[in-house]
Amino acid sequence: MRKLAVIHHRHMDWVPALREAEPRLDIRGWHPREEGDPAWLAQAEGLFVWKLPEGLAARMPRLAWIQNSGAGVDHLVADPSIPPGVPITRADGQFGFWMARYVAFHLLAGAQRPEECRTAQEARTWNPRLIPEDLTGRAALVVGFGRIGRQIGRALRDLGLEVRGFVRTPRADPEFPLLGTADLPKWLPEARALVLCAPLTPETRGLVDARLLAHGNPGLLLVNVGRGEQVVVPDLLEALDAGRLGGAVLDVFSPEPLAAESPLWSHPKVTVTPHHSGPSTPRAMVPDLLPNLRRFAEGLAVEGGVDRERGY
């Protein structure tokens, strides 16, 4: 019976779900801050992980597969203790569904002019001129257009926005224009939303910086559900204060959790959420994991490994 270690802060939820899905595996859970049985870990061939503790892979000489419980695998790709031949897989679960709702909610919430309505309410003032913003025809720029980005794009299109996707390699697409990130400055001056949902790569690290934000506009909303490292925070704050950006909704940060002294917490134009735009739950993800769980239990090679050189 092959062994699968679950290194996750919610391993008590994941272990029974994975055992039920594939009872032919010996599955045990470890909390990242706790120590389990080192002898058992040394025999484990599979690893289901959220945040891999530093150097832990080096303690698993039989490691043959790593399944990430989140969408981003940059932390695993960059881990030097993981042997190059060990496949790393990921499962989207319902991340796209959740993230599309997250982005749509925050864009719609702003369009309803909630702060002005709250001010009028506190003053007991009836102001029929506080009509919602019409988003029809406004430009939404989605950086990263895999399965998750496409679902976000579809949700924003359904709200009436004109969606353009930005990808590493521009290509023809039957649904949306797909452009290179070098074209972002061209579209930012008139854009209503800039959504980041790309993997962290050398090309996307620090993408939103002073040079890019110089092309922004006072009505632009930045929504980051990708990676915190893709936004240069001092440049973001300067753009907000200068009026080159209307607001920012941030769900990811570097590092996490967000430090208590970070100015992002108190900035009036920033909304901070605790990396919850795409929750990973057993119910949503186990169906995606099941084919590889079965292959692993049967001693077969898993499928769908990420390209380590590309970072996703």
Side-chain angles (χ1 to χ4, degrees):
M1 178 178 285
R2 304 186 84 179
K3 297 175 173 59
L4 177 72
V6 177
I7 314 293
H8 200 286
H9 60 283
R10 288 183 17 241
H11 63 78
M12 294 182 67
D13 296 330
W14 280 101
V15 169
L18 293 172
R19 285 175 176 169
E20 181 180 359
E22 184 44 85
R24 293 175 295 176
L25 294 174
D26 179 5
I27 302 175
R28 303 187 192 183
W30 290 29
H31 192 284
R33 294 189 298 272
E34 297 173 359
E35 283 293 324
D37 179 356
W40 184 90
L41 185 68
Q43 295 297 311
E45 298 173 70
L47 181 60
F48 179 90
V49 65
W50 167 236
K51 293 291 185 182
L52 184 62
E54 184 177 356
L56 187 134
R59 297 161 56 190
M60 303 177 67
R62 301 183 62 182
L63 186 61
W65 173 40
I66 298 177
Q67 169 65 51
N68 189 40
S69 68
V73 295
D74 47 276
H75 60 294
L76 296 174
V77 169
D79 191 328
S81 70
I82 300 174
V86 174
I88 299 170
T89 57
R90 44 162 285 183
D92 285 344
Q94 295 184 19
F95 292 144
F97 164 79
W98 282 106
M99 290 182 177
R101 297 209 305 186
Y102 176 95
V103 174
F105 165 79
H106 286 286
L107 193 55
L108 282 175
Q112 297 298 315
R113 305 173 69 178
E115 294 182 4
E116 294 167 89
C117 289
R118 170 58 64 180
T119 299
Q121 179 179 343
E122 291 173 350
R124 298 174 183 257
T125 299
W126 184 268
N127 186 354
R129 295 182 179 180
L130 289 178
I131 60 174
E133 174 191 1
D134 185 2
L135 297 174
T136 305
R138 301 298 305 276
L141 317 180
V142 181
V143 181
F145 222 77
R147 284 184 286 179
I148 292 173
R150 188 171 294 275
Q151 285 189 258
I152 292 173
R154 288 169 177 166
L156 297 183
R157 182 182 60 189
D158 289 345
L159 297 180
L161 288 102
E162 296 288 338
V163 176
R164 289 174 175 82
F166 291 81
V167 295
R168 182 175 184 172
T169 305
R171 58 184 182 272
D173 185 89
E175 278 194 284
F176 300 96
L178 295 186
L179 311 172
T181 53
D183 289 323
L184 277 170
K186 173 183 176 182
W187 296 100
L188 275 183
E190 302 298 327
R192 182 60 178 85
L194 172 61
V195 182
L196 306 181
C197 60
L200 182 63
T201 66
E203 293 78 16
T204 63
R205 186 182 296 273
L207 175 67
V208 179
D209 60 5
R211 288 177 297 176
L212 182 65
L213 292 170
H215 301 274
N217 70 82
L220 178 64
L221 177 69
L222 170 69
V223 184
N224 189 7
V225 294
R227 281 291 182 263
E229 294 91 337
Q230 293 168 350
V231 176
V232 180
V233 172
D235 293 356
L236 168 68
L237 294 171
E238 196 278 331
L240 287 167
D241 293 338
R244 290 190 295 275
L245 185 64
V249 177
L250 308 175
D251 189 52
V252 288
F253 307 89
S254 178
E256 292 184 1
L258 181 63
E261 62 272 16
S262 171
L264 294 171
W265 287 108
S266 57
H267 198 286
K269 294 183 179 180
V270 174
T271 297
V272 170
T273 60
H275 202 146
H276 73 184
S277 61
S280 57
T281 64
R283 179 179 179 181
M285 287 188 64
V286 165
D288 281 356
L289 302 175
L290 193 54
N292 270 339
L293 282 173
R294 289 173 175 167
R295 295 182 66 84
F296 182 69
E298 294 166 6
L300 302 174
V302 297
E303 297 179 336
V306 303
D307 184 330
R308 294 208 200 181
E309 290 188 5
R310 300 186 71 173
Y312 54 93

